Amino acid sequence: MDKNEYLLNNEGGSTKANVRACAAKRWRVLAAGLVFAVGGIWLLLHQMLGHSGSSTDEYILGALKGDKVQVELFVMSRCPDAIKVETVFNSVVRELYPILDIQLNFIAKPNPNATYGAECKHGDEECRGNIDELCALAHGGDLPLFWRFLNCLNSHSGDIGSDPDLSLKCASSAGLDTEAFINCALQVEGRELFRQSVENAEFAGVNTSATVFIDGHLRCVEDGGWRECPGGHSASDFIRDICAAYKGSRSRPSICAEYPPVA
């Protein structure tokens, strides 16, 4: 599938599913579903055993997050608050990407009759932008490349999802595999990633863009102003907390030395 077909499909607001071409990639979706299921079982057992805690304040989805700190951003691609948080995370990603696992959970209302399987607050253009961001994250190669793509989109926020050429230009300039990106965005994989993302947000009980979780715990909310951010909301505040949360075997990024663990 080439650039012209991507543009043609998006101009019509529809996608052409090609299951065989997408089958090799759908293992990522199945893996995400497994993590979701395990997280749900863990939470159910946690509650049955008498451990109290709000599903929002103590959201446990990253049971299989591995050797990195999981950061979950509950966002909408055309939301100014989301773009504000993502901008704050520019230096966080730059400094900590080797120990960082960022997950995008998009806030929308599931609706199987909607164009993209959900109703987005800022219209179908936002749903389209959500899918593009998820596909870029899935096929970005590494986090800094994806973040370059995201910054490119955000610098033209009014065109996200409505200008198909913008996503292609951003994917190309960021150094993404554009063929893999296009196949994901136009076929089954992109919609499945979006569906799973929306389900993750619903499971967490989060309906405010933008909400930040670090290591399974509510960390901060930006909603026309910062709130519920007891540790602060600057990039250095997030860097400090992520460094503190890191328990993996990799070498800690050098900037973590500026934030020694609290005894």
Side-chain angles (χ1 to χ4, degrees), residues 13 78 114-116 118-120 122-130 161:
R78 291 175 65 97
T115 303
Y116 297 104
E119 298 173 15
C120 295
H122 302 96
D124 280 350
E125 293 86 357
E126 181 166 78
C127 291
R128 176 72 263 166
N130 295 348

Side-chain angles (χ1 to χ4, degrees), residues 71 73 75-77 79-95 100 102 104 133 146-157 160 209-210 212 222 226 233-236 238-239:
V71 173
L73 302 180
V75 291
M76 305 173 186
S77 61
C79 172
D81 293 313
I83 294 171
K84 182 177 179 179
V85 168
E86 290 160 359
T87 300
V88 171
F89 265 81
N90 284 341
S91 57
V92 179
V93 170
R94 183 176 63 250
E95 298 288 353
L100 199 56
I102 288 187
L104 298 180
E133 290 185 11
F146 165 71
W147 217 256
R148 197 177 303 160
F149 167 87
L150 186 62
N151 279 329
C152 177
L153 278 191
N154 287 346
S155 66
H156 302 86
S157 58
I160 292 176
S209 173
V212 180
E222 162 57 39
W226 298 97
H233 52 76
S234 69
S236 61
F238 292 124
I239 289 172

Side-chain angles (χ1 to χ4, degrees), residues 10 18 25 44 73 122 141 160 163 173 212 254-255:
N10 277 286
N18 184 333
K25 301 185 183 72
L44 178 60
L73 302 180
H122 302 96
I160 292 176
D163 179 5
S173 65
V212 180
S254 58
I255 196 171

